Coordinates of all heavy atoms in Angstrom, one line a residue:
M1 N 0.8 -1.2 0.0 CA 0.0 0.0 0.0 C 0.9 1.2 0.0 O 1.8 1.3 0.7 CB -0.9 0.0 1.2 CG -1.8 1.1 1.3 SD -3.0 0.7 2.5 CE -3.3 2.2 3.2
D2 N 0.5 2.2 -0.8 CA 1.3 3.4 -0.9 C 0.6 4.5 -0.1 O -0.5 4.9 -0.4 CB 1.4 3.8 -2.4 CG 2.4 4.9 -2.6 OD1 3.1 5.3 -1.7 OD2 2.5 5.4 -3.8
D3 N 1.4 5.0 0.9 CA 0.8 6.1 1.8 C 1.0 7.5 1.2 O 0.6 8.5 1.7 CB 1.5 6.0 3.1 CG 1.1 4.8 3.9 OD1 0.0 4.2 3.6 OD2 1.8 4.4 4.8
A4 N 1.7 7.6 0.0 CA 1.9 8.9 -0.6 C 0.6 9.5 -1.1 O -0.2 8.8 -1.6 CB 2.9 8.7 -1.7
V5 N 0.5 10.7 -0.8 CA -0.7 11.5 -1.3 C -0.4 11.9 -2.7 O 0.6 12.4 -3.1 CB -0.9 12.7 -0.4 CG1 -2.1 13.5 -0.9 CG2 -1.1 12.3 1.0
P6 N -1.4 11.6 -3.6 CA -1.2 12.0 -5.0 C -1.1 13.5 -5.1 O -1.8 14.3 -4.4 CB -2.4 11.5 -5.7 CG -3.4 11.2 -4.7 CD -2.7 11.0 -3.4
E7 N -0.1 13.9 -5.9 CA 0.1 15.3 -6.1 C -1.0 15.9 -7.0 O -1.5 15.3 -7.9 CB 1.4 15.6 -6.8 CG 2.6 15.3 -6.0 CD 3.9 15.7 -6.7 OE1 3.9 16.7 -7.4 OE2 4.9 15.1 -6.5
T8 N -1.5 17.1 -6.5 CA -2.5 17.8 -7.3 C -1.7 18.7 -8.3 O -0.7 19.3 -7.9 CB -3.4 18.6 -6.4 OG1 -2.7 19.5 -5.6 CG2 -4.3 17.7 -5.6
P9 N -2.1 18.8 -9.5 CA -1.4 19.6 -10.4 C -1.5 21.1 -10.0 O -2.5 21.5 -9.4 CB -2.2 19.4 -11.8 CG -3.5 18.8 -11.4 CD -3.3 18.2 -10.1
P10 N -0.4 21.8 -10.2 CA -0.5 23.2 -9.8 C -1.6 24.0 -10.6 O -1.8 23.7 -11.8 CB 0.9 23.8 -10.2 CG 1.5 22.8 -11.2 CD 0.8 21.5 -10.9
A11 N -2.2 24.8 -9.9 CA -3.3 25.6 -10.5 C -2.7 26.5 -11.6 O -1.7 27.1 -11.4 CB -4.0 26.4 -9.5
A12 N -3.4 26.5 -12.7 CA -2.9 27.4 -13.8 C -3.1 28.8 -13.4 O -4.1 29.1 -12.7 CB -3.7 27.0 -15.1
E13 N -2.2 29.6 -13.8 CA -2.4 31.0 -13.4 C -3.6 31.6 -14.2 O -3.7 31.5 -15.4 CB -1.1 31.8 -13.8 CG 0.1 31.5 -12.9 CD 1.2 32.4 -13.2 OE1 1.0 33.5 -13.7 OE2 2.4 31.9 -13.0
E14 N -4.5 32.1 -13.4 CA -5.7 32.7 -14.1 C -5.4 34.1 -14.6 O -4.7 34.9 -13.9 CB -6.8 32.7 -13.0 CG -7.2 31.4 -12.5 CD -8.3 31.5 -11.5 OE1 -9.1 32.5 -11.5 OE2 -8.5 30.5 -10.7
E15 N -5.9 34.4 -15.7 CA -5.8 35.7 -16.3 C -6.7 36.6 -15.4 O -7.8 36.2 -15.1 CB -6.2 35.7 -17.7 CG -5.2 35.1 -18.6 CD -5.6 35.4 -20.1 OE1 -6.2 36.4 -20.4 OE2 -5.2 34.5 -20.9
P16 N -6.2 37.8 -15.2 CA -7.1 38.7 -14.4 C -8.4 39.0 -15.2 O -8.4 39.1 -16.4 CB -6.3 40.0 -14.3 CG -5.1 39.8 -15.2 CD -5.0 38.4 -15.6
A17 N -9.5 39.2 -14.5 CA -10.7 39.5 -15.1 C -10.7 40.9 -15.7 O -9.9 41.7 -15.3 CB -11.8 39.4 -14.1
Y18 N -11.4 41.1 -16.8 CA -11.4 42.4 -17.5 C -12.0 43.4 -16.5 O -13.0 43.2 -15.9 CB -12.3 42.3 -18.7 CG -12.5 43.7 -19.4 CD1 -11.4 44.3 -20.0 CD2 -13.7 44.3 -19.3 CE1 -11.6 45.6 -20.5 CE2 -13.9 45.5 -19.9 CZ -12.8 46.2 -20.5 OH -13.0 47.4 -21.0
D19 N -11.2 44.5 -16.3 CA -11.7 45.6 -15.5 C -11.8 46.8 -16.4 O -10.8 47.4 -16.8 CB -10.6 45.8 -14.4 CG -11.0 46.9 -13.5 OD1 -12.1 47.5 -13.6 OD2 -10.2 47.3 -12.6
P20 N -13.0 47.2 -16.7 CA -13.2 48.4 -17.5 C -12.6 49.7 -17.0 O -12.2 50.6 -17.7 CB -14.7 48.6 -17.7 CG -15.3 47.8 -16.6 CD -14.3 46.7 -16.2
A21 N -12.4 49.7 -15.7 CA -11.7 50.9 -15.1 C -10.2 50.8 -15.0 O -9.5 51.7 -14.6 CB -12.3 51.1 -13.7
G22 N -9.7 49.6 -15.4 CA -8.3 49.3 -15.3 C -7.5 50.0 -16.5 O -8.1 50.4 -17.4
P23 N -6.2 50.0 -16.4 CA -5.4 50.5 -17.5 C -5.6 49.7 -18.8 O -5.7 48.5 -18.7 CB -4.0 50.4 -17.0 CG -4.0 49.9 -15.6 CD -5.4 49.5 -15.3
A24 N -5.6 50.4 -19.9 CA -5.8 49.7 -21.2 C -5.0 50.5 -22.2 O -5.1 51.8 -22.2 CB -7.2 49.6 -21.6
P25 N -4.3 49.9 -23.1 CA -3.5 50.6 -24.1 C -4.5 51.4 -25.0 O -5.6 50.8 -25.4 CB -2.8 49.6 -24.8 CG -3.1 48.2 -24.3 CD -4.1 48.5 -23.1
L26 N -4.1 52.6 -25.4 CA -4.9 53.3 -26.3 C -4.6 53.0 -27.8 O -5.4 53.3 -28.7 CB -4.7 54.8 -26.1 CG -5.1 55.4 -24.8 CD1 -4.7 56.8 -24.6 CD2 -6.6 55.2 -24.6
N27 N -3.4 52.4 -28.0 CA -3.0 51.9 -29.3 C -3.0 53.1 -30.3 O -3.4 52.9 -31.5 CB -3.9 50.8 -29.8 CG -3.7 49.6 -29.0 OD1 -2.6 49.2 -28.6 ND2 -4.8 48.8 -28.7
V28 N -2.6 54.3 -29.9 CA -2.5 55.4 -30.8 C -1.2 55.3 -31.5 O -0.1 55.2 -30.9 CB -2.5 56.7 -30.0 CG1 -2.2 57.9 -30.9 CG2 -3.7 56.9 -29.2
P29 N -1.2 55.2 -32.9 CA 0.0 55.1 -33.6 C 0.9 56.3 -33.5 O 0.4 57.4 -33.5 CB -0.5 54.9 -35.1 CG -1.8 55.5 -35.1 CD -2.4 55.3 -33.7
R30 N 2.2 56.1 -33.4 CA 3.2 57.2 -33.4 C 4.1 57.0 -34.5 O 4.9 56.0 -34.6 CB 3.9 57.2 -32.0 CG 3.0 57.6 -30.9 CD 3.7 57.5 -29.5 NE 4.1 56.2 -29.0 CZ 3.3 55.4 -28.4 NH1 2.0 55.7 -28.2 NH2 3.7 54.2 -28.0
A31 N 4.1 57.9 -35.4 CA 5.0 57.9 -36.6 C 6.4 58.5 -36.2 O 6.4 59.5 -35.5 CB 4.4 58.7 -37.7
P32 N 7.5 57.9 -36.6 CA 8.8 58.4 -36.3 C 9.0 59.8 -36.9 O 8.5 60.1 -38.0 CB 9.8 57.4 -37.0 CG 9.0 56.4 -37.6 CD 7.5 56.7 -37.4
T33 N 9.6 60.7 -36.2 CA 9.8 62.1 -36.6 C 11.2 62.2 -37.3 O 11.4 63.2 -38.0 CB 9.8 63.0 -35.5 OG1 10.8 62.8 -34.6 CG2 8.4 62.9 -34.7
G34 N 12.1 61.3 -37.1 CA 13.5 61.5 -37.6 C 14.4 62.1 -36.6 O 15.6 62.1 -36.8
D35 N 13.9 62.6 -35.5 CA 14.7 63.2 -34.4 C 14.7 62.2 -33.3 O 13.7 61.9 -32.7 CB 14.2 64.5 -34.0 CG 15.0 65.2 -33.0 OD1 15.1 64.7 -31.8 OD2 15.7 66.2 -33.3
A36 N 15.9 61.6 -33.0 CA 16.0 60.6 -31.9 C 15.4 61.0 -30.6 O 14.7 60.3 -29.9 CB 17.4 60.1 -31.8
G37 N 15.7 62.3 -30.2 CA 15.2 62.7 -28.9 C 13.7 62.9 -28.9 O 13.0 62.5 -27.9
V38 N 13.1 63.4 -29.9 CA 11.7 63.5 -30.0 C 11.0 62.2 -30.1 O 10.0 61.9 -29.4 CB 11.3 64.4 -31.2 CG1 9.8 64.4 -31.5 CG2 11.8 65.8 -31.1
D39 N 11.6 61.3 -30.9 CA 11.0 59.9 -31.0 C 11.0 59.2 -29.6 O 10.1 58.5 -29.3 CB 11.7 59.1 -32.0 CG 11.4 59.6 -33.5 OD1 10.4 60.3 -33.7 OD2 12.2 59.3 -34.4
A40 N 12.1 59.3 -28.9 CA 12.2 58.7 -27.6 C 11.1 59.3 -26.6 O 10.5 58.5 -25.9 CB 13.6 58.9 -27.0
A41 N 10.9 60.6 -26.7 CA 9.9 61.2 -25.8 C 8.5 60.7 -26.2 O 7.7 60.4 -25.3 CB 10.0 62.7 -25.9
L42 N 8.2 60.6 -27.5 CA 6.9 60.2 -27.9 C 6.7 58.7 -27.6 O 5.6 58.3 -27.2 CB 6.7 60.4 -29.4 CG 6.7 61.9 -29.8 CD1 6.6 62.1 -31.3 CD2 5.6 62.6 -29.1
D43 N 7.8 57.9 -27.7 CA 7.7 56.5 -27.3 C 7.4 56.3 -25.8 O 6.7 55.4 -25.4 CB 8.9 55.7 -27.7 CG 9.1 55.5 -29.2 OD1 8.1 55.6 -29.9 OD2 10.2 55.2 -29.6
R44 N 7.8 57.3 -25.1 CA 7.6 57.2 -23.6 C 6.1 57.3 -23.3 O 5.6 56.8 -22.3 CB 8.4 58.4 -22.9 CG 8.1 58.6 -21.5 CD 9.0 57.9 -20.6 NE 9.0 58.4 -19.2 CZ 8.2 57.8 -18.3 NH1 7.5 56.8 -18.5 NH2 8.2 58.3 -17.1
L45 N 5.3 57.9 -24.2 CA 3.9 58.0 -24.0 C 3.2 56.6 -23.9 O 2.2 56.5 -23.2 CB 3.2 58.8 -25.1 CG 3.4 60.3 -25.2 CD1 2.8 60.8 -26.5 CD2 2.8 60.9 -24.0
G46 N 3.8 55.6 -24.5 CA 3.3 54.3 -24.4 C 3.4 53.7 -23.0 O 2.6 52.8 -22.6
D47 N 4.2 54.3 -22.1 CA 4.3 53.8 -20.7 C 3.0 54.1 -20.0 O 2.7 53.4 -19.0 CB 5.5 54.5 -20.0 CG 6.8 54.1 -20.6 OD1 6.9 53.0 -21.3 OD2 7.8 54.7 -20.3
A48 N 2.3 55.1 -20.4 CA 1.1 55.5 -19.7 C 0.0 54.4 -20.0 O -1.0 54.3 -19.2 CB 0.6 56.9 -20.2
D49 N 0.1 53.6 -21.0 CA -0.9 52.6 -21.4 C -1.0 51.6 -20.3 O -2.1 50.9 -20.2 CB -0.5 51.9 -22.7 CG -0.7 52.7 -23.9 OD1 -1.3 53.8 -23.8 OD2 -0.2 52.3 -25.0
H50 N 0.0 51.4 -19.5 CA 0.0 50.3 -18.5 C -0.2 50.9 -17.0 O 0.0 50.1 -16.1 CB 1.3 49.5 -18.6 CG 1.5 49.0 -19.9 ND1 0.8 48.1 -20.6 CD2 2.4 49.5 -20.9 CE1 1.2 47.9 -21.8 NE2 2.2 48.7 -22.0
L51 N -0.5 52.2 -16.9 CA -0.6 52.8 -15.6 C -2.1 53.2 -15.4 O -2.8 53.5 -16.3 CB 0.3 54.0 -15.5 CG 1.8 53.8 -15.7 CD1 2.5 55.2 -15.8 CD2 2.3 53.0 -14.6
A52 N -2.4 53.3 -14.1 CA -3.7 53.8 -13.8 C -3.6 55.3 -14.0 O -2.5 55.9 -14.2 CB -4.0 53.6 -12.3
T53 N -4.7 56.0 -14.2 CA -4.7 57.4 -14.5 C -3.9 58.3 -13.6 O -3.4 59.3 -14.0 CB -6.2 58.0 -14.7 OG1 -6.8 57.7 -13.4 CG2 -6.9 57.3 -15.8
D54 N -3.8 57.9 -12.3 CA -3.1 58.8 -11.4 C -1.6 58.7 -11.7 O -0.8 59.5 -11.2 CB -3.4 58.4 -10.0 CG -3.0 57.0 -9.6 OD1 -2.8 56.2 -10.5 OD2 -3.0 56.7 -8.4
G55 N -1.1 57.7 -12.5 CA 0.3 57.6 -12.9 C 0.6 58.3 -14.2 O 1.8 58.5 -14.6
H56 N -0.4 58.8 -14.9 CA -0.2 59.4 -16.2 C 0.5 60.7 -16.1 O 1.3 61.1 -17.0 CB -1.5 59.6 -17.0 CG -2.2 58.4 -17.4 ND1 -3.3 58.4 -18.3 CD2 -1.9 57.1 -17.2 CE1 -3.6 57.1 -18.5 NE2 -2.8 56.3 -17.9
L57 N 0.2 61.5 -15.1 CA 0.8 62.8 -15.0 C 2.3 62.8 -15.0 O 2.9 63.6 -15.7 CB 0.3 63.5 -13.7 CG 0.8 64.9 -13.5 CD1 0.3 65.8 -14.6 CD2 0.3 65.5 -12.1
E58 N 2.9 61.9 -14.3 CA 4.4 61.8 -14.3 C 4.9 61.5 -15.7 O 5.9 62.1 -16.2 CB 4.8 60.7 -13.4 CG 6.3 60.5 -13.3 CD 6.8 59.4 -12.4 OE1 6.0 59.0 -11.5 OE2 7.9 59.0 -12.5
V59 N 4.3 60.6 -16.5 CA 4.7 60.3 -17.8 C 4.5 61.6 -18.7 O 5.4 61.9 -19.5 CB 3.9 59.1 -18.4 CG1 4.2 58.9 -19.9 CG2 4.2 57.9 -17.6
Y60 N 3.4 62.2 -18.6 CA 3.1 63.4 -19.5 C 4.1 64.5 -19.2 O 4.6 65.2 -20.1 CB 1.7 63.9 -19.3 CG 0.6 62.9 -19.8 CD1 -0.6 62.9 -19.3 CD2 0.9 61.9 -20.7 CE1 -1.6 62.0 -19.7 CE2 0.0 61.1 -21.2 CZ -1.3 61.1 -20.7 OH -2.3 60.2 -21.1
E61 N 4.4 64.7 -17.9 CA 5.4 65.8 -17.6 C 6.8 65.4 -18.1 O 7.5 66.3 -18.6 CB 5.4 66.0 -16.0 CG 4.2 66.7 -15.5 CD 4.2 66.9 -14.0 OE1 4.9 66.2 -13.3 OE2 3.4 67.7 -13.6
D62 N 7.1 64.1 -18.0 CA 8.4 63.7 -18.5 C 8.5 63.9 -20.0 O 9.5 64.4 -20.6 CB 8.7 62.2 -18.2 CG 10.0 61.8 -18.5 OD1 11.0 62.5 -18.3 OD2 10.1 60.6 -19.0
V63 N 7.4 63.6 -20.7 CA 7.4 63.7 -22.2 C 7.5 65.2 -22.5 O 8.2 65.7 -23.4 CB 6.2 63.1 -22.8 CG1 6.0 63.4 -24.3 CG2 6.3 61.6 -22.6
H64 N 6.7 66.0 -21.8 CA 6.7 67.5 -22.1 C 8.1 68.1 -21.9 O 8.6 68.9 -22.7 CB 5.7 68.2 -21.1 CG 5.6 69.6 -21.3 ND1 6.2 70.5 -20.5 CD2 5.0 70.4 -22.3 CE1 6.0 71.7 -20.9 NE2 5.2 71.7 -22.0
R65 N 8.8 67.6 -20.8 CA 10.1 68.1 -20.5 C 11.1 67.7 -21.7 O 11.9 68.6 -22.1 CB 10.6 67.5 -19.2 CG 11.9 68.1 -18.7 CD 12.2 67.6 -17.3 NE 11.6 66.3 -16.8 CZ 10.6 66.2 -16.1 NH1 10.0 67.2 -15.6 NH2 10.1 65.0 -15.7
G66 N 10.9 66.5 -22.2 CA 11.8 66.1 -23.2 C 11.6 66.8 -24.5 O 12.5 67.2 -25.2
L67 N 10.3 67.1 -24.8 CA 10.0 67.8 -26.1 C 10.4 69.3 -25.9 O 10.9 69.9 -26.9 CB 8.5 67.8 -26.4 CG 8.0 66.4 -26.7 CD1 6.5 66.4 -26.9 CD2 8.6 65.9 -28.0
R68 N 10.2 69.9 -24.7 CA 10.7 71.2 -24.5 C 12.2 71.3 -24.6 O 12.7 72.3 -25.3 CB 10.2 71.7 -23.1 CG 10.5 73.2 -22.8 CD 10.1 73.6 -21.4 NE 10.8 72.8 -20.5 CZ 10.3 72.2 -19.4 NH1 9.0 72.3 -19.2 NH2 11.0 71.5 -18.6
D69 N 12.9 70.4 -24.1 CA 14.4 70.4 -24.2 C 14.8 70.3 -25.7 O 15.8 70.9 -26.1 CB 15.0 69.2 -23.4 CG 14.9 69.4 -21.9 OD1 14.5 70.5 -21.5 OD2 15.1 68.4 -21.2
A70 N 14.1 69.4 -26.5 CA 14.4 69.3 -27.9 C 14.2 70.6 -28.6 O 15.0 71.0 -29.5 CB 13.5 68.2 -28.5
L71 N 13.1 71.4 -28.3 CA 12.9 72.7 -28.9 C 13.9 73.7 -28.5 O 14.4 74.5 -29.3 CB 11.5 73.2 -28.5 CG 10.3 72.5 -29.3 CD1 9.0 73.0 -28.7 CD2 10.4 72.7 -30.7
T72 N 14.3 73.7 -27.2 CA 15.3 74.6 -26.7 C 16.6 74.3 -27.4 O 17.4 75.3 -27.7 CB 15.5 74.4 -25.2 OG1 14.2 74.7 -24.6 CG2 16.5 75.4 -24.6
A73 N 17.0 73.1 -27.7 CA 18.2 72.7 -28.3 C 18.2 73.3 -29.7 O 19.3 73.6 -30.2 CB 18.4 71.2 -28.4
L74 N 17.1 73.5 -30.4 CA 17.1 74.1 -31.7 C 17.6 75.6 -31.6 O 18.2 76.1 -32.6 CB 15.7 74.1 -32.3 CG 15.2 72.7 -32.6 CD1 13.7 72.8 -33.1 CD2 16.0 72.0 -33.7
D75 N 17.3 76.3 -30.5 CA 17.7 77.7 -30.4 C 19.2 77.8 -30.1 O 19.8 78.8 -30.4 CB 16.9 78.3 -29.2 CG 15.5 78.5 -29.5 OD1 15.1 78.6 -30.7 OD2 14.7 78.6 -28.6
V76 N 19.8 76.7 -29.6 CA 21.2 76.8 -29.3 C 22.1 76.5 -30.5 O 23.2 77.0 -30.5 CB 21.5 75.7 -28.1 CG1 23.0 75.7 -27.8 CG2 20.7 76.1 -26.9
R77 N 21.6 75.8 -31.4 CA 22.4 75.4 -32.6 C 22.8 76.7 -33.4 O 21.9 77.5 -33.6 CB 21.7 74.5 -33.5 CG 21.4 73.1 -32.9 CD 20.8 72.2 -33.9 NE 20.3 71.0 -33.3 CZ 19.4 70.2 -33.8 NH1 18.8 70.5 -34.9 NH2 19.0 69.1 -33.1
P78 N 24.0 76.8 -33.8 CA 24.4 77.9 -34.6 C 23.7 77.8 -36.0 O 23.7 76.8 -36.6 CB 25.9 77.9 -34.7 CG 26.2 76.4 -34.5 CD 25.1 75.9 -33.6
G79 N 23.2 78.9 -36.4 CA 22.6 79.0 -37.7 C 23.5 79.7 -38.7 O 24.6 80.0 -38.4
P80 N 23.0 79.9 -39.9 CA 23.8 80.7 -40.9 C 24.0 82.1 -40.4 O 23.2 82.7 -39.6 CB 22.9 80.7 -42.1 CG 21.5 80.4 -41.7 CD 21.6 79.6 -40.4
P81 N 25.1 82.7 -40.8 CA 25.4 84.1 -40.3 C 24.3 85.0 -40.9 O 23.8 84.8 -42.0 CB 26.8 84.4 -40.9 CG 27.0 83.4 -42.0 CD 26.1 82.2 -41.6
G82 N 24.0 86.0 -40.1 CA 23.0 87.0 -40.5 C 23.7 88.0 -41.5 O 24.9 87.9 -41.7
P83 N 22.8 88.8 -42.1 CA 23.4 89.7 -43.1 C 24.3 90.7 -42.4 O 24.1 91.0 -41.2 CB 22.1 90.4 -43.7 CG 21.1 90.2 -42.6 CD 21.4 88.9 -41.9
P84 N 25.2 91.2 -43.1 CA 26.1 92.2 -42.5 C 25.4 93.5 -42.2 O 24.4 93.9 -42.9 CB 27.2 92.5 -43.5 CG 26.6 92.0 -44.8 CD 25.6 91.0 -44.5
T85 N 25.8 94.1 -41.1 CA 25.1 95.4 -40.7 C 25.7 96.5 -41.6 O 26.9 96.6 -41.8 CB 25.3 95.7 -39.2 OG1 26.7 95.7 -38.9 CG2 24.6 94.7 -38.4
P86 N 24.9 97.4 -42.1 CA 25.5 98.5 -42.9 C 26.3 99.4 -42.0 O 26.0 99.6 -40.8 CB 24.2 99.2 -43.4 CG 23.1 98.8 -42.6 CD 23.5 97.5 -41.9
H87 N 27.3 100.0 -42.6 CA 28.2 100.9 -41.9 C 27.4 102.3 -41.7 O 26.7 102.7 -42.5 CB 29.4 101.2 -42.6 CG 30.3 100.0 -42.8 ND1 31.0 99.4 -41.7 CD2 30.6 99.2 -43.9 CE1 31.6 98.4 -42.2 NE2 31.4 98.2 -43.4
A88 N 27.6 102.8 -40.5 CA 27.0 104.1 -40.2 C 27.7 105.2 -41.0 O 28.9 105.2 -41.2 CB 27.0 104.4 -38.8
P89 N 27.0 106.2 -41.6 CA 27.7 107.3 -42.3 C 28.6 108.1 -41.4 O 28.3 108.3 -40.2 CB 26.5 108.1 -42.8 CG 25.3 107.7 -42.1 CD 25.6 106.4 -41.5
R90 N 29.7 108.4 -41.9 CA 30.7 109.2 -41.1 C 30.4 110.7 -41.3 O 30.1 111.1 -42.4 CB 32.1 108.8 -41.6 CG 32.4 107.4 -41.3 CD 33.8 107.1 -41.6 NE 34.1 105.7 -41.3 CZ 35.3 105.2 -41.3 NH1 36.3 105.9 -41.5 NH2 35.4 103.9 -41.1
S91 N 30.6 111.4 -40.3 CA 30.4 112.8 -40.4 C 31.7 113.6 -40.4 O 32.7 113.2 -40.1 CB 29.6 113.4 -39.3 OG 29.9 112.9 -38.0

């Protein structure tokens, strides 16, 4: 006689029930812009898909900061030289 208790198979992990109030991806397509910094900031928006709404603010502020920095960097780049200033008439 075998006194061993038969093993019960481990319970399969159940998928969480659908929660309409839970986080859900918006699946908004994001086209590449060609600027690595801007594309990285826009890709960061996808992080909000997996957060409850109270976590969105941090993501949005981070993306806003990244886009603002990218725009500020455009002002820092040297552009073409401006037109020469005319000489003042001598008296």
